[in-house]
Amino acid sequence: MEIKVLHQIMDWNEDVSQEVKDALAAHHICMINVMGSPGAGKTSLITSLIGRLKDRFRIGVIEGDIAGQVDADRIAALDVPTVQLNTDGACHIEAMSIQNILPYLPLDDLDLIFVENIGNLVCPAEFRIGESLRITILSIPEGDDKVEKYPLMFTDTDCLVLNKYDMMPYFDFDEQRVIENYGTVNPDAPLFRVSSRTGEGLADLADFIAETIKKD
């Protein structure tokens, strides 16, 4: 019975996800789902990408957290439309939550929406939210074993960002191990080496996003 209910929940989420995607397409909006562990640098990366893309696209942000709105306040300070989505304990964002919160954004005035998902390498990978692009972040301090431990997150993504790359000299991080494991589970998806602090790799990632928006 539990398996049947789980399948029903997943199927329902997929249906709502498609409804969200159709609604965004009607407004010509590309939505990007940014996923990664707590502390991986999701907010910093989104902030840096806004700086790189705001002259080319009209940007909004949905900031997901279990509680609080510290990150949402930080992004709103950049003068972009931002809404807080608190899950009240849930370890991921579901499509219905996105559907309910979209009306709080000025959709007619946006080209791009970043969604910062809940910090977690398990649940967010299982739930589509109507996004056009998935970005998974793995920061150098987290370690080089995460692709092996959480394969779905790295399989079902459109690109991998090795974040905080400027910290490579200070951690025993086997980059080749990540490259090989990622290439095994997701051979066609690109990998970007990025540092929000130094700016390394941001231009290439921003260009990748811009090309996706043009195709969407």
Side-chain angles (χ1 to χ4, degrees):
M1 179 64 70
E2 289 182 4
I3 294 175
K4 182 178 180 181
V5 171
L6 179 60
H7 281 306
Q8 289 174 339
I9 291 171
M10 301 298 289
D11 290 344
W12 170 75
N13 187 80
E14 285 296 314
D15 291 342
V16 178
S17 175
Q18 187 59 52
E19 291 173 7
V20 171
K21 194 164 188 175
D22 291 343
L24 292 170
H27 290 275
H28 306 288
I29 295 173
C30 174
M31 188 166 72
I32 299 177
N33 186 0
V34 180
M35 302 178 292
S37 298
K42 296 184 294 297
T43 307
S44 295
L45 182 66
I46 290 172
T47 300
S48 298
L49 288 171
I50 289 172
R52 296 271 176 169
L53 294 166
K54 65 181 180 180
D55 291 336
R56 289 185 272 179
F57 305 103
R58 301 168 298 171
I59 301 172
V61 177
I62 296 173
E63 180 59 46
D65 281 301
I66 289 177
Q69 61 176 52
V70 174
D71 292 337
D73 291 342
R74 179 179 168 188
I75 292 174
L78 301 175
D79 196 28
V80 298
T82 306
V83 292
Q84 179 70 48
L85 195 167
N86 286 338
T87 63
D88 296 324
C91 61
H92 60 277
I93 294 173
E94 296 181 1
M96 178 61 76
S97 297
I98 297 295
Q99 189 174 60
N100 290 337
I101 208 167
L102 280 179
Y104 292 93
L105 285 171
L107 299 181
D108 290 331
D109 299 320
L110 296 178
D111 306 305
L112 168 63
I113 297 174
F114 284 107
V115 178
E116 180 173 343
N117 215 313
I118 307 303
N120 192 324
L121 285 177
V122 181
C123 302
E126 299 178 348
F127 287 82
R128 289 276 170 180
I129 57 172
E131 69 271 51
S132 300
L133 182 72
R134 287 184 151 199
I135 294 176
T136 296
I137 302 175
L138 171 62
S139 67
I140 300 305
E142 290 178 73
D144 51 36
D145 59 352
K146 298 300 178 288
V147 181
E148 294 164 82
K149 289 184 174 182
Y150 308 99
L152 180 60
M153 175 62 74
F154 298 92
T155 301
D156 197 6
T157 189
D158 296 295
C159 72
L160 172 61
V161 173
L162 283 184
N163 201 27
K164 305 183 182 181
Y165 199 73
D166 55 302
M167 302 187 76
M168 277 288 287
Y170 310 107
F171 288 86
D172 185 15
F173 186 93
D174 187 347
E175 182 178 357
Q176 191 58 38
R177 178 184 184 183
V178 172
I179 292 171
E180 290 176 359
N181 289 327
Y182 183 55
T184 298
V185 300
N186 202 347
D188 298 323
L191 181 150
F192 297 92
R193 298 163 179 83
V194 171
S195 168
S196 296
R197 187 176 69 84
T198 67
E200 178 182 359
L202 284 170
D204 289 340
L205 180 57
D207 287 344
F208 172 75
I209 291 172
E211 287 301 315
T212 300
I213 294 172
K214 292 175 183 176
K215 295 175 184 177
D216 195 48

